[in-house]
Each structure stands twice: as structure tokens, then as C-alpha cells.
Coordinates of all heavy atoms in Angstrom, one line a residue:
G175 N -15.4 -200.3 200.3 CA -15.1 -201.3 201.4 C -16.0 -202.5 201.4 O -17.0 -202.6 200.7
Y176 N -15.7 -203.4 202.3 CA -16.5 -204.6 202.5 C -16.5 -204.9 203.9 O -15.4 -204.8 204.6 CB -15.9 -205.8 201.7 CG -16.6 -207.1 202.0 CD1 -17.8 -207.4 201.4 CD2 -16.0 -208.0 202.9 CE1 -18.4 -208.7 201.7 CE2 -16.6 -209.2 203.2 CZ -17.8 -209.5 202.6 OH -18.4 -210.7 202.9
R177 N -17.7 -205.3 204.5 CA -17.8 -205.7 205.9 C -18.8 -206.8 206.0 O -19.7 -206.9 205.2 CB -18.2 -204.5 206.8 CG -19.6 -204.0 206.6 CD -19.9 -202.8 207.5 NE -21.3 -202.4 207.4 CZ -22.3 -202.8 208.2 NH1 -22.0 -203.7 209.2 NH2 -23.5 -202.4 208.1
I178 N -18.6 -207.5 207.1 CA -19.5 -208.6 207.4 C -19.7 -208.6 208.9 O -18.7 -208.5 209.7 CB -19.0 -210.0 206.8 CG1 -20.0 -211.0 207.1 CG2 -17.6 -210.3 207.5 CD1 -19.7 -212.4 206.3
G179 N -21.0 -208.7 209.3 CA -21.3 -208.8 210.7 C -22.2 -209.9 211.0 O -23.3 -210.0 210.5
R180 N -21.8 -210.8 211.8 CA -22.6 -212.0 212.2 C -22.7 -212.2 213.7 O -21.8 -211.7 214.4 CB -22.0 -213.3 211.5 CG -22.0 -213.3 210.0 CD -21.4 -214.5 209.5 NE -21.4 -214.6 208.0 CZ -20.9 -215.5 207.3 NH1 -20.2 -216.5 207.9 NH2 -21.0 -215.5 206.0
G181 N -23.7 -212.9 214.1 CA -23.9 -213.1 215.5 C -25.2 -212.6 216.0 O -26.1 -212.2 215.3
D182 N -25.3 -212.5 217.3 CA -26.5 -212.0 218.0 C -26.2 -210.6 218.5 O -25.5 -210.4 219.5 CB -26.7 -212.9 219.3 CG -28.1 -213.5 219.3 OD1 -28.9 -213.0 218.5 OD2 -28.4 -214.3 220.1
F183 N -26.7 -209.6 217.8 CA -26.4 -208.2 218.1 C -27.4 -207.6 219.0 O -28.5 -208.0 219.1 CB -26.3 -207.4 216.8 CG -25.1 -207.7 215.9 CD1 -25.1 -208.7 215.0 CD2 -24.0 -206.9 216.1 CE1 -24.0 -208.9 214.2 CE2 -22.9 -207.2 215.3 CZ -22.9 -208.2 214.4
E184 N -26.9 -206.7 219.8 CA -27.8 -205.9 220.7 C -28.8 -205.2 219.8 O -28.5 -204.8 218.7 CB -26.9 -204.8 221.4 CG -25.9 -205.4 222.4 CD -24.6 -205.7 221.7 OE1 -24.6 -205.8 220.5 OE2 -23.5 -205.8 222.4
P185 N -30.0 -205.0 220.3 CA -31.0 -204.3 219.5 C -30.6 -203.0 219.1 O -31.1 -202.5 218.0 CB -32.2 -204.3 220.5 CG -32.0 -205.4 221.4 CD -30.5 -205.5 221.6
W186 N -29.9 -202.3 219.9 CA -29.4 -200.9 219.5 C -28.2 -200.9 218.6 O -27.8 -199.8 218.1 CB -29.2 -200.1 220.8 CG -28.2 -200.8 221.7 CD1 -26.8 -200.7 221.7 CD2 -28.5 -201.7 222.8 NE1 -26.3 -201.4 222.7 CE2 -27.3 -202.0 223.4 CE3 -29.7 -202.2 223.3 CZ2 -27.3 -202.9 224.5 CZ3 -29.7 -203.0 224.4 CH2 -28.5 -203.4 225.0
Y187 N -27.7 -202.1 218.2 CA -26.6 -202.2 217.3 C -26.9 -203.0 216.1 O -26.0 -203.6 215.5 CB -25.3 -202.7 218.0 CG -24.6 -201.8 218.9 CD1 -24.0 -202.2 220.0 CD2 -24.5 -200.4 218.5 CE1 -23.3 -201.3 220.9 CE2 -23.8 -199.5 219.3 CZ -23.2 -200.0 220.5 OH -22.6 -199.1 221.3
L188 N -28.2 -203.1 215.7 CA -28.5 -204.0 214.6 C -27.9 -203.5 213.3 O -27.8 -204.3 212.3 CB -30.1 -204.1 214.5 CG -30.8 -204.8 215.6 CD1 -32.3 -204.8 215.4 CD2 -30.2 -206.2 215.8
E189 N -27.5 -202.2 213.2 CA -26.9 -201.8 211.9 C -25.6 -202.4 211.6 O -25.1 -202.4 210.5 CB -26.8 -200.2 211.9 CG -25.7 -199.7 212.8 CD -26.1 -199.6 214.2 OE1 -27.2 -199.9 214.6 OE2 -25.2 -199.2 215.1
R190 N -25.0 -203.0 212.7 CA -23.7 -203.7 212.5 C -23.9 -205.0 211.8 O -22.9 -205.6 211.4 CB -23.0 -203.9 213.8 CG -22.6 -202.5 214.5 CD -22.0 -202.8 215.9 NE -21.5 -201.5 216.5 CZ -20.9 -201.5 217.7 NH1 -20.7 -202.6 218.4 NH2 -20.6 -200.3 218.2
Q191 N -25.1 -205.5 211.8 CA -25.3 -206.8 211.2 C -25.5 -206.7 209.7 O -25.9 -205.7 209.2 CB -26.6 -207.4 211.8 CG -26.9 -208.9 211.4 CD -28.1 -209.4 212.1 OE1 -29.1 -208.6 212.4 NE2 -28.2 -210.7 212.4
T192 N -25.0 -207.7 209.0 CA -25.1 -207.8 207.5 C -25.8 -209.1 207.1 O -25.9 -210.0 207.9 CB -23.8 -207.6 206.8 OG1 -23.0 -208.8 207.1 CG2 -23.0 -206.4 207.3
N193 N -26.1 -209.1 205.8 CA -26.6 -210.4 205.3 C -25.4 -211.4 205.3 O -24.2 -211.0 205.5 CB -27.1 -210.3 203.9 CG -28.5 -209.6 203.9 OD1 -29.1 -209.5 204.9 ND2 -28.9 -209.2 202.7
D194 N -25.7 -212.6 205.0 CA -24.6 -213.7 205.1 C -23.4 -213.4 204.2 O -22.3 -213.7 204.5 CB -25.2 -215.0 204.8 CG -26.1 -215.6 205.9 OD1 -26.0 -215.0 207.0 OD2 -26.9 -216.5 205.6
G195 N -23.7 -212.8 203.0 CA -22.6 -212.5 202.1 C -21.8 -211.2 202.4 O -20.8 -210.9 201.8
G196 N -22.3 -210.4 203.4 CA -21.6 -209.2 203.7 C -22.1 -208.0 203.0 O -23.1 -208.1 202.2
E197 N -21.5 -206.8 203.2 CA -22.0 -205.6 202.6 C -20.8 -204.9 201.9 O -19.7 -204.8 202.4 CB -22.5 -204.7 203.7 CG -22.9 -203.3 203.2 CD -23.1 -202.3 204.3 OE1 -22.1 -201.7 204.8 OE2 -24.2 -202.1 204.7
F198 N -21.1 -204.5 200.6 CA -20.2 -203.7 199.8 C -20.5 -202.2 199.9 O -21.7 -201.9 199.9 CB -20.1 -204.2 198.4 CG -19.5 -205.6 198.3 CD1 -20.4 -206.7 198.3 CD2 -18.2 -205.7 198.1 CE1 -19.8 -208.0 198.2 CE2 -17.6 -207.0 198.0 CZ -18.4 -208.1 198.0
K199 N -19.5 -201.4 199.9 CA -19.7 -200.0 200.0 C -18.8 -199.2 199.0 O -17.7 -199.6 198.8 CB -19.4 -199.5 201.4 CG -19.6 -198.0 201.6 CD -19.3 -197.6 203.1 CE -17.9 -197.8 203.5 NZ -17.6 -197.3 204.8
L200 N -19.3 -198.2 198.4 CA -18.6 -197.4 197.4 C -19.1 -195.9 197.5 O -20.3 -195.7 197.6 CB -18.7 -197.9 196.0 CG -17.9 -197.1 194.9 CD1 -16.4 -197.4 195.2 CD2 -18.3 -197.6 193.5
G201 N -18.1 -195.0 197.6 CA -18.5 -193.6 197.8 C -17.4 -192.6 197.5 O -16.3 -193.0 197.1
M202 N -17.8 -191.3 197.6 CA -16.8 -190.2 197.3 C -17.1 -189.0 198.2 O -18.3 -188.7 198.4 CB -16.9 -189.8 195.8 CG -16.0 -188.7 195.4 SD -16.1 -188.3 193.7 CE -17.8 -187.7 193.5
R203 N -16.1 -188.4 198.7 CA -16.2 -187.2 199.5 C -15.5 -186.0 198.8 O -14.3 -186.2 198.4 CB -15.6 -187.4 200.9 CG -15.9 -186.3 201.9 CD -15.2 -186.5 203.2 NE -15.6 -185.5 204.2 CZ -16.5 -185.6 205.1 NH1 -17.2 -186.8 205.2 NH2 -16.7 -184.7 206.0
V204 N -16.1 -184.9 198.6 CA -15.6 -183.8 197.8 C -15.7 -182.5 198.6 O -16.8 -182.2 199.1 CB -16.3 -183.6 196.5 CG1 -15.8 -182.4 195.7 CG2 -16.2 -184.9 195.6
P205 N -14.7 -181.7 198.7 CA -14.8 -180.4 199.4 C -15.4 -179.4 198.5 O -15.0 -179.3 197.3 CB -13.3 -180.1 199.8 CG -12.5 -180.8 198.7 CD -13.3 -182.1 198.4
L206 N -16.2 -178.5 199.0 CA -16.8 -177.5 198.2 C -16.2 -176.1 198.4 O -16.2 -175.2 197.5 CB -18.3 -177.4 198.5 CG -19.1 -178.7 198.2 CD1 -20.6 -178.5 198.6 CD2 -19.0 -179.1 196.8
L207 N -15.6 -175.8 199.6 CA -15.0 -174.5 199.9 C -13.5 -174.8 200.3 O -12.6 -174.7 199.5 CB -15.8 -173.8 201.0 CG -17.1 -173.2 200.5 CD1 -17.8 -172.6 201.7 CD2 -16.9 -172.2 199.4
R208 N -13.3 -175.0 201.6 CA -11.9 -175.2 202.1 C -11.4 -176.6 201.5 O -12.1 -177.5 201.4 CB -11.9 -175.3 203.6 CG -10.6 -175.3 204.2 CD -10.7 -175.2 205.7 NE -9.4 -175.1 206.4 CZ -8.8 -176.2 206.9 NH1 -9.4 -177.4 206.9 NH2 -7.6 -176.1 207.4
N209 N -10.1 -176.5 201.1 CA -9.4 -177.7 200.5 C -9.9 -178.0 199.1 O -9.5 -179.1 198.6 CB -9.6 -178.9 201.4 CG -9.0 -178.8 202.8 OD1 -8.0 -178.0 202.9 ND2 -9.5 -179.5 203.8
R210 N -10.6 -177.1 198.5 CA -11.0 -177.4 197.1 C -9.9 -177.1 196.1 O -9.5 -177.9 195.3 CB -12.3 -176.6 196.7 CG -12.7 -176.9 195.3 CD -14.0 -176.2 195.0 NE -14.4 -176.3 193.6 CZ -15.0 -177.4 193.1 NH1 -15.3 -178.4 193.9 NH2 -15.3 -177.5 191.8
E211 N -9.3 -175.8 196.2 CA -8.2 -175.4 195.4 C -6.8 -175.9 195.8 O -5.9 -176.0 195.1 CB -8.2 -173.9 195.2 CG -9.5 -173.3 194.6 CD -9.8 -173.8 193.2 OE1 -8.8 -174.1 192.5 OE2 -10.9 -173.9 192.8
I212 N -6.7 -176.0 197.2 CA -5.4 -176.4 197.7 C -5.7 -177.1 199.1 O -6.7 -176.7 199.8 CB -4.5 -175.2 197.9 CG1 -3.1 -175.7 198.4 CG2 -5.1 -174.2 198.9 CD1 -2.1 -174.5 198.5
D213 N -4.9 -178.1 199.4 CA -5.0 -178.7 200.7 C -3.6 -179.1 201.2 O -2.6 -178.8 200.5 CB -6.0 -179.9 200.7 CG -5.5 -180.9 199.6 OD1 -4.4 -180.9 199.2 OD2 -6.4 -181.7 199.2
N214 N -3.5 -179.7 202.4 CA -2.2 -180.0 202.9 C -1.4 -180.9 202.0 O -0.2 -180.7 201.8 CB -2.3 -180.6 204.3 CG -2.9 -179.6 205.3 OD1 -2.7 -178.4 205.2 ND2 -3.5 -180.1 206.4
R215 N -2.1 -181.9 201.4 CA -1.4 -182.8 200.5 C -0.8 -182.1 199.3 O 0.4 -182.3 199.0 CB -2.3 -183.9 200.1 CG -2.7 -184.9 201.2 CD -3.5 -186.0 200.6 NE -4.8 -185.6 200.1 CZ -6.0 -186.0 200.5 NH1 -6.0 -187.0 201.5 NH2 -7.1 -185.6 200.0
R216 N -1.6 -181.3 198.6 CA -1.1 -180.6 197.4 C -0.1 -179.5 197.8 O 0.9 -179.3 197.1 CB -2.3 -180.0 196.7 CG -3.0 -181.0 195.8 CD -4.3 -180.4 195.2 NE -5.3 -180.2 196.2 CZ -6.5 -179.6 195.9 NH1 -6.7 -179.1 194.7 NH2 -7.4 -179.5 196.8
A217 N -0.3 -178.9 198.9 CA 0.7 -177.8 199.3 C 2.1 -178.4 199.6 O 3.1 -177.9 199.1 CB 0.2 -177.1 200.6
E218 N 2.1 -179.6 200.3 CA 3.4 -180.2 200.5 C 4.1 -180.7 199.2 O 5.3 -180.6 199.0 CB 3.3 -181.4 201.5 CG 3.0 -181.0 202.9 CD 4.1 -180.2 203.5 OE1 5.3 -180.5 203.2 OE2 3.9 -179.3 204.2
L219 N 3.3 -181.2 198.3 CA 3.8 -181.6 197.0 C 4.3 -180.5 196.2 O 5.4 -180.5 195.6 CB 2.7 -182.3 196.2 CG 3.0 -182.8 194.8 CD1 4.2 -183.7 194.8 CD2 1.8 -183.4 194.1

């Protein structure tokens, strides 16, 4: 994803602020037990 946060942020919400060019994000979520061999999507398919 990509996000950009500009303006005057509350001190407790400074993590919402980004540099002028914004922030890029890339990641992956993997199940280790439940939903590893089968999940709702694969079951319906």
C-alpha cells in the first residue's frame, strides 16, 4: 500500500504523519496452524 499524511497532527497521533512523498508498505501474512491446509476460500472452491 501507499499512504500520505500531512498537516498538524495531535502528539499522540504522530504515527499518522508521513514524509512529503508518502509511505510505501509491502508485507505478507501466513497461517501456521488453522487455515494452513484449508480455509473458507479453498473449501468453497
